[in-house]
Each structure stands twice: as C-alpha cells, then as structure tokens.
Amino acid sequence: MKYDKKQDSSYAVGMFATIELLKYQLDNVVGVYYSDKIKMNANVQRVFELCKQHHIPVTERTKFVESIAGKENVFLLGEFKKYQTDIQPGNHLVLVNPSDMGNLGTIFRTCLGFGVKNIAIIKPCVDIFDPKVIRASQGAFFKLNVQLFDTFDDYNHIFSQNTKYMFCLDGDTILQNMHTSQRPFSLVFGNEASGLPNSMLALGNKVKIKQSSDIDSFNLAVSVAVALYQFTK
C-alpha cells in the first residue's frame, strides 16, 4: 500500500515525528504501526506508553511500515486523520504555489524555529499532508496553523491589515539593508522555479535578498530562513 493524497488520513514517518503527533494532535491520531525490526529503547517505550495511556491501537505491520517509509531506515509511524487549521492574526509566511515536498517540510520546521506559526499556502500546491512533507518538517507541522487559499486575493482580503513583503530577484529594497519593518507582516514567496507572478508584485513592498553573482538564486527554503531571521531578530 502506498500513500494516496485522496485518502482521509496520512502518516507521521519516524520516531520523532510520531512523538510530536502524539503530543500535539492527539485527537486526530488513528493508530501507531511498527516494524518487527524495531529495537526497544526509551523513545519507543515512550510512544507505546503514550498510546496505552490514550487507548491508541499499536500494531505490528512490518510490510505496511516499509511501504509508507520507502527505502528509509524507519521502523515506526503514526497514522492521523487529515485536519483543517485556520491561521490567526499576526505575522504570516505566505507561499504561492509551492511544489517541492522537501522544501515545504523544511520551511515548516524553520518557521516554528523563528516563532512564525501561521502559514498561508496559495493553491495549486504540493500536498501538505504527504508523509514526505511531514517527515521533512520533523513533526513541526503538528504545531503550526497551515491554511490553504484558492487565490492570493482570498488571503489578502481577510488579512488586509498585514504589510506584505513580496520577495523577488528585482526588489526595490535589499533585505540586508532593512532596519525596520511594519507589523503584522506577511512574507510572500513564489514557486521554487518561477517565483511570484508579476501581477502580484504591486500588492506589497518588493524585497530582494542580496547575493553574489556566482549563483542565480537561493533555494526557497534558504530564502525563507534568511527572511525570517531578518524579520524576527
């Protein structure tokens, strides 16, 4: 069996992500599965005890775990019901049409590290519940508010009070030269390959991250990390 984005549940792959699932999204946990190759240690014991305490079924399903985890050295996963969260007023990260699962998971973890817990994602986009995204986030996904919007206008209509900072290669303002910023802010980034559409750039302050001429651009996850550092330091 493989994960299908059409199904009603997804999986926290690996020990740490499963522990985060049990700690922060307990009501949505369906069950925990483990491989017969698992070795008992303190973390495994902690997972089993949490499941026993909250009456969550724990089942040995070796082939199932291997099919979901793929070739990774993973012996435990938690299944959870997909759920909806709404972003709250405050500082936001806005991702327009993200398409790389590893990038998205890394961005989730980075946002949590900098204390920005509200993330708006504009469709079309990668499946935010894909196990690869959850694993790349190291379970950070379970502590964030992540909301999907059909269009950027839909997001902007609700959070018009946020000052929008549109990140692009030809921005008027260099990020490293910024000394002040208006809050609440929305840091807006485009697709990994194409960036933000030109039609959106006029909707906020255009910002670029100064870089050397030796590269054409930073990776999206790196760009987000640099921006979050500058805006939250």
Side-chain angles (χ1 to χ4, degrees), residues 7 19 33 38 83-84 108 139 159 162 170-171 183 200 204 209 217:
Q7 67 190 58
I19 290 174
Y33 312 109
I38 199 169
Y83 56 91
Q84 289 186 324
F108 286 159
F159 297 102
N162 279 38
D170 59 348
R183 294 171 178 254
M200 285 182 55
I209 301 173
S217 65

Side-chain angles (χ1 to χ4, degrees), residues 56-176:
I56 296 169
V58 178
T59 311
E60 186 269 301
R61 295 181 65 184
T62 301
K63 291 185 177 179
F64 177 73
V65 171
E66 291 175 350
S67 69
I68 297 298
K71 297 180 180 180
E72 298 188 67
N73 194 29
V74 173
F75 307 114
L76 183 100
L77 58 85
E79 182 179 5
F80 64 94
K81 294 178 290 185
K82 294 178 180 178
Y83 56 91
Q84 289 186 324
T85 53
D86 294 329
I87 59 176
Q88 303 302 309
N91 298 323
H92 298 161
L93 176 70
V94 183
L95 301 174
V96 180
N97 314 138
S99 59
D100 185 280
M101 289 182 284
N103 266 343
L104 187 58
T106 301
I107 288 169
F108 286 159
R109 188 180 183 193
T110 302
C111 281
L112 188 62
F114 283 108
V116 176
K117 297 185 177 181
N118 294 289
I119 303 174
I121 298 183
I122 313 302
K123 301 177 185 177
C125 61
V126 68
D127 176 16
I128 64 172
F129 289 105
D130 191 287
K132 294 179 181 178
V133 175
I134 306 300
R135 182 157 173 75
S137 82
Q138 287 290 293
F141 177 81
F142 302 121
K143 291 184 271 188
L144 298 170
N145 298 316
V146 182
Q147 185 174 353
L148 300 179
F149 293 86
D150 289 328
T151 68
F152 182 77
D153 286 342
D154 291 340
Y155 164 80
N156 202 23
H157 177 73
I158 298 173
F159 297 102
S160 58
Q161 76 278 11
N162 279 38
T163 301
K164 313 302 186 300
Y165 293 92
M166 322 298 283
F167 281 79
C168 56
L169 294 177
D170 59 348
D172 302 317
T173 302
I174 296 175
L175 177 67
Q176 291 92 325

Side-chain angles (χ1 to χ4, degrees), residues 4 10 17 50 69 81 97 111 125 136 148 202 212 215 223-224:
D4 185 341
S10 185
L50 282 170
K81 294 178 290 185
N97 314 138
C111 281
C125 61
L148 300 179
S212 76
I215 62 171
S223 297
V224 170

